[in-house]
Amino acid sequence: DTVLTQSPGTLSLSPGESATLSCRASQDVTNNYLAWYQQRPGQAPRLLMYAASTRATGISDKFSGSGSGTEFTLTISRLEPEDFGVYYCQQYVTSPLTFGGGTKVEMK
Amino acid sequence: QVHLVQSGAEVKKPGASVKVSCKASGYSFTAYSMHWVRQAPGQGPEWMGRINPSNGGTRYAEKFLDRVTLTRDTSITTVYMELTNLKSDDTAVYYCARDGAPRWLQNWFDPWGQGTLVTVSS
């Protein structure tokens, strides 16, 4: 299985600051087949990004994705209260499809 | 607007089975595969499998091969996930999630159902 390791585990930031989240894969994620999701407390995950850097429909351009190979990054600029939550990466190159353990972005 | 509405919470004893439904609306039901993903308390999501509502074809994660069955009823645009021989570590929120694009499988998920909590306890 492709293991995804997300870091840091928790980010404590203030509104207006930027967040940089990392996702490292145990093997090459070919074609950048990597997605990012946001999960607010008590809610289902919501797709933010696919193909590493393509924003999903309706997602603000404050979210940006980058990376290739085994290293991927999600950047969130100008944090607002609704951006605080847990973020997951997911690879869809190999079966089983796998998710990272998540990065919690919390308000400082 | 696309909606995925799941059945309500369940409490089961170890060894029992559970069947969760997911009713889809707002799009062409047979054009998109449907995935099932579960999330144990405090954990990341875990993919269980997918079904092609057009022909009923399925693909399961190896971990669940002998315990999970995905089915669909096209007349009521509903997919089902049945998990047998439940154990305490099957306690989780179970989500249906639509595949990302029609006809050409993408294997990312948008949108997700609201989730169904399944609690396994003696």
Side-chain angles (χ1 to χ4, degrees):
Chain A
D1 297 5
T2 301
V3 177
L4 299 179
T5 303
Q6 293 188 242
S7 60
T10 302
L11 266 177
S12 296
L13 296 167
S14 300
E17 292 189 301
S18 293
T20 300
L21 288 64
S22 174
C23 176
R24 175 175 292 177
S26 62
Q27 54 189 288
D28 190 56
V29 180
T30 54
N31 298 312
N32 290 344
Y33 280 177
L34 189 107
W36 289 93
Y37 300 86
Q38 175 196 63
Q39 188 172 34
R40 296 173 177 142
Q43 295 187 14
R46 176 175 75 135
L47 177 72
L48 297 175
M49 205 81 61
Y50 60 93
S53 61
T54 302
R55 275 186 296 277
T57 302
I59 300 302
S60 165
D61 60 5
K62 63 190 288 184
F63 293 93
S64 62
S66 63
S68 63
T70 61
E71 301 277 351
F72 296 87
T73 300
L74 178 71
T75 303
I76 313 167
S77 60
R78 310 181 307 276
L79 281 166
E80 297 175 85
E82 60 266 29
D83 299 328
F84 293 92
V86 182
Y87 291 81
Y88 295 99
C89 57
Q90 177 235 329
Q91 65 80 22
Y92 50 99
V93 176
T94 60
S95 186
L97 312 176
T98 53
F99 292 80
T103 290
K104 182 178 182 180
V105 179
E106 65 176 22
M107 200 176 301
K108 186 188 290 184
Chain B
Q1 193 174 4
V2 177
H3 284 293
L4 302 176
V5 179
Q6 298 183 222
S7 49
E10 303 261 13
V11 179
K12 296 291 184 181
K13 294 193 182 305
S17 299
V18 69
K19 192 170 186 177
V20 179
S21 67
C22 169
K23 179 165 177 61
S25 62
Y27 71 96
S28 175
F29 177 69
T30 55
Y32 292 76
S33 287
M34 192 75 78
H35 301 261
W36 286 86
V37 177
R38 76 177 187 180
Q39 188 171 29
Q43 304 296 310
E46 180 178 33
W47 180 75
M48 300 178 70
R50 67 171 184 262
I51 183 167
N52 180 342
S54 177
N55 58 19
T58 54
R59 176 82 182 264
Y60 302 120
E62 191 170 338
K63 174 178 179 177
F64 300 102
L65 256 178
D66 57 346
R67 293 201 299 137
V68 72
T69 303
L70 303 182
T71 56
R72 92 294 191 211
D73 185 336
T74 56
S75 68
I76 55 171
T77 65
T78 299
V79 296
Y80 301 91
M81 185 283 300
E82 183 174 26
L83 189 63
T84 62
N85 191 21
L86 290 166
K87 312 172 184 106
S88 58
D89 61 3
D90 289 318
T91 294
V93 176
Y94 289 75
Y95 295 100
C96 59
R98 194 188 71 171
D99 193 72
R103 296 174 187 87
W104 190 262
L105 190 65
Q106 297 294 310
N107 283 325
W108 41 269
F109 317 120
D110 183 39
W112 297 52
Q114 86 277 18
T116 297
L117 175 62
V118 175
T119 304
V120 184
S121 173
S122 55

